[in-house]
Amino acid sequence: MQGKIIFNFCKMVRVKEKISIVTTLFRSEEHIKIFYEQCLKYIVSQFEEYEFVIVNDGSPDDSILIAIELAEMDRNVKVVDLSRNFGHHKALLTGLRWSTGDKIFMLDVDLEEHPSIFSQFLSEYKSDPRVEHVFAAQRARKGNILEKFSGYIFYNIFNFLSDVKVEKNIITSRLMSRRFVDSLMEFKEQEIFIAGLCVLNGYETRKIFVEKTSTAKTSYSFSKKIQLLVNGITSFSSKPLFMIFYIGCIVLLLAVIAIGKIVYDKINYNITISGWASVIVAICFMGGLIIFSMGVFSIYLSKIFIETKARPYVIIKRIING
């Protein structure tokens, strides 16, 4: 009898809304079931309706099989199986697209951020009726020296070169309203950086600080961070193109001054600059500058090429409980 009273009380205090929990899979077979159970305990218990949207991003292990087992056991688990690995951000956006909840919580399956942090998101979300989006960041970045240094470089260079400013040390976890997610789906670009899109999306946003509970090695290698940095900058800013123009103007001005100085010395003092070292240095400098400039132009040109083809950013092989 006492158990029934407790159950009825819990049911009464549940939010009369549907929560969607969106996550992605890549080498995640050891985490999926624990993730599911912890989300049921700390998130689902607060809502009358729920769904899991699990996107398999071409995981080479048995992640998809375990996810399908959960979907067969629980009809509220929706599995979106992609045809191959398309990347973390594209998989997350696919999960958001297939979500149907009134509120959408995005969380990595590896439990680096424990589902219990959801209460912080919900509390901040409810603090102001205007809030549509709550994201999280770390006060201090976890990991070794290289990981911390690469993160520091990433955010500082991105914010310096990009027109869109993102918070430092942000994490995947976000709580969003249905309206926020629907607006996010209006962006059609093929190269995706979710943090930047969320800033462009606007709406009233709040930030909270959380601590990562896992010390597992990050799946983002240094090369992947560089790739994400270049993609983010060229997707959200044309500033590098203007910087090349300004650098070219400065180099041209210095060259004109140097030529003027050489001519002046020759006419007035009959001084001629001899030797090949200065000539080689000048040629190498100008050659490097030209190649760098062509590289930046090539990156922007390749992005235009990709966008104009309007290919789908993911291919969905099948959907379970969709």
Side-chain angles (χ1 to χ4, degrees):
M1 183 66 180
Q2 186 178 1
K4 289 184 179 180
I5 294 173
I6 293 174
F7 173 79
N8 290 333
F9 174 76
C10 291
K11 193 170 183 178
M12 282 193 300
V13 297
R14 286 181 174 180
V15 179
K16 293 183 178 180
E17 288 181 326
K18 183 177 182 178
I19 182 72
S20 294
I21 302 169
V22 175
T23 194
T24 64
L25 305 179
F26 190 78
R27 300 188 187 278
S28 309
E29 58 183 359
E30 62 180 295
H31 304 296
I32 301 173
K33 289 187 177 180
I34 302 174
F35 173 84
Y36 171 77
E37 293 167 358
Q38 294 298 309
C39 285
L40 286 179
K41 180 179 179 181
Y42 290 102
I43 303 175
V44 170
S45 59
Q46 303 182 54
F47 292 84
E48 285 195 343
E49 294 184 68
Y50 72 94
E51 70 172 357
F52 286 83
V53 183
I54 302 175
V55 182
N56 177 44
D57 189 23
S59 183
D61 59 9
D62 291 332
S63 296
I64 183 63
L65 300 179
I66 299 172
I68 290 174
E69 286 180 11
L70 289 177
E72 291 173 347
M73 180 184 68
D74 184 351
R75 295 292 296 176
N76 294 310
V77 175
K78 183 186 301 181
V79 179
V80 182
D81 188 18
L82 304 185
S83 61
R84 62 174 177 83
N85 177 253
F86 288 91
H88 187 214
H89 288 239
K90 292 180 180 180
L92 283 172
L93 203 65
T94 302
L96 294 179
R97 188 176 296 278
W98 281 91
S99 66
T100 59
D102 303 295
K103 289 184 175 64
I104 299 89
F105 188 53
M106 199 162 65
L107 185 67
D108 280 335
V109 75
D110 60 6
L111 300 173
E112 278 202 323
E113 302 97 49
H114 195 271
S116 59
I117 66 173
F118 177 75
S119 58
Q120 294 176 249
F121 284 88
L122 190 60
S123 176
E124 189 65 32
Y125 187 97
K126 291 179 177 179
S127 65
D128 189 332
R130 298 172 298 172
V131 173
E132 304 275 356
H133 171 224
V134 180
F135 71 95
Q138 303 174 79
R139 293 188 186 276
R141 192 173 185 84
K142 77 170 189 69
N144 55 37
I145 295 176
L146 179 60
E147 193 172 339
K148 291 179 180 179
F149 178 72
S150 62
Y152 174 82
I153 293 295
F154 175 89
Y155 288 108
N156 281 277
I157 293 180
F158 180 89
N159 286 331
F160 175 72
L161 292 177
S162 175
D163 297 324
V164 174
K165 309 302 180 186
V166 299
E167 290 287 338
K168 295 180 180 180
N169 300 326
I170 52 176
I171 61 177
T172 301
S173 304
R174 296 172 184 270
L175 178 61
M176 299 162 279
S177 68
R178 179 78 262 159
R179 182 165 63 168
F180 185 89
V181 171
D182 288 342
S183 298
L184 203 59
M185 295 301 104
E186 296 297 320
F187 292 95
K188 303 301 182 184
E189 53 251 58
Q190 308 299 306
E191 299 296 327
I192 296 167
F193 179 44
I194 286 183
L197 291 181
C198 287
V199 174
L200 283 179
N201 202 24
Y203 292 99
E204 195 71 24
T205 296
R206 293 287 187 273
K207 177 179 72 172
I208 63 173
F209 289 103
V210 301
E211 298 296 330
K212 288 195 174 186
T213 56
S214 172
T215 57
K217 186 178 180 181
T218 177
S219 60
Y220 275 93
S221 63
F222 186 75
S223 61
K224 284 186 177 181
K225 288 178 181 177
I226 294 296
Q227 183 180 355
L228 184 63
L229 173 64
V230 173
N231 177 52
I233 291 171
T234 52
S235 294
F236 292 96
S237 176
S238 58
K239 192 179 291 185
L241 296 175
F242 288 98
M243 290 183 69
I244 288 175
F245 170 75
Y246 295 135
I247 292 172
C249 290
I250 293 172
V251 171
L252 179 61
L253 178 61
L254 292 175
V256 170
I257 294 172
I259 292 171
K261 179 69 166 57
I262 292 171
V263 173
Y264 178 81
D265 289 343
K266 179 65 177 177
I267 293 174
N268 292 277
Y269 307 107
N270 197 29
I271 299 174
T272 302
I273 297 177
S274 60
W276 60 271
S278 57
V279 176
I280 295 299
V281 169
I283 291 174
C284 289
F285 173 75
M286 291 305 300
L289 183 62
I290 291 170
I291 293 172
F292 172 77
S293 302
M294 289 179 62
V296 173
F297 283 120
S298 298
I299 291 172
Y300 277 96
L301 186 61
S302 69
K303 294 186 77 68
I304 295 172
F305 175 67
I306 291 170
E307 296 293 339
T308 53
K309 287 186 292 187
R311 291 174 177 172
Y313 58 84
V314 296
I315 300 294
I316 297 174
K317 183 163 59 177
R318 55 178 168 168
I319 300 176
I320 294 92
N321 292 344

